[in-house]
Amino acid sequence: MTTAPTAPVPPPPPSTTPWGDALTAVVALLLPVVCVGCGTPDHALCRGCHALLRELPGRTRLVAGVRLDAAFEYEGTVRTLVLEWKLRSRSDVVGPLTARTGALVRAALAAAPGAVVVRVPPSRRGARRRGFDPVVSVLRRAGLRRTPALRRLPVHPTAADPADLVAARAGGGQKERTALERVAATVGSLSAAALADGLQGRDVVLVDDVVTTGVTMAEAVRAVRAVGGRPVRCVAVASVEA
């Protein structure tokens, strides 16, 4: 599936006030930093990289027949920022990412009044390592708090769940798996059963951080449909071109 560029939603620029610059200088003196995008000293994300992000287009693709709007393509500076955010808990570098993604969530809700926003949960390993859910940060920027999340199902070997499927689910992260292993590790791994009363007959907007092959988002769509919900839009911070 090819992706199509969408009009960028500009993130807020860095502070241009004297007070903002002074605060940046004090913080840099106490805790020296460099721009994660280009290495410029004294800024976690410099003005040049802010400007670069504002020029980058978003992406739109289909996942399980549902439109997915991604704020960015997962490459270059965006990829670096996401990794700093998710692997090193660098919340100081993701304002532009969460701002634009939050705007996409608000646009999705405007197009489907009354829709329910549902989070795609992080993997158990990722949640343990980070101690936070990146999607929650995105939704806060959209003015949304206490949004429900799908549930990740535990892995139990059964007659209908052969050993190779269990092994695939219990193995490493998505990046270490082949495409077939990703599908095997994901099918049946999410449930919306606990949310059924609130989703049945309702439009649903699904939100995740990064969409690669799309199998996790497709599983989220399946889980919502299984309880009678209608996924009408998927939103992500970034998407790998498919």
Side-chain angles (χ1 to χ4, degrees), residues 171-241:
Q174 290 282 53
K175 290 183 292 185
E176 291 81 21
R177 295 169 177 155
T178 66
L180 290 178
E181 287 171 342
R182 291 185 185 194
V183 173
T186 305
V187 173
S189 64
L190 296 177
S191 172
L195 310 178
D197 290 344
L199 300 186
Q200 187 172 19
R202 300 280 300 277
D203 290 341
V204 176
V205 175
L206 287 160
V207 184
D208 202 355
D209 49 14
V210 178
V211 175
T212 54
T213 62
V215 295
T216 299
M217 187 64 86
E219 170 63 9
V221 169
R222 181 210 61 78
V224 169
R225 287 173 174 163
V227 299
R230 296 188 299 267
V232 295
R233 189 73 57 88
C234 301
V235 176
V237 175
S239 170
V240 175
E241 186 172 0

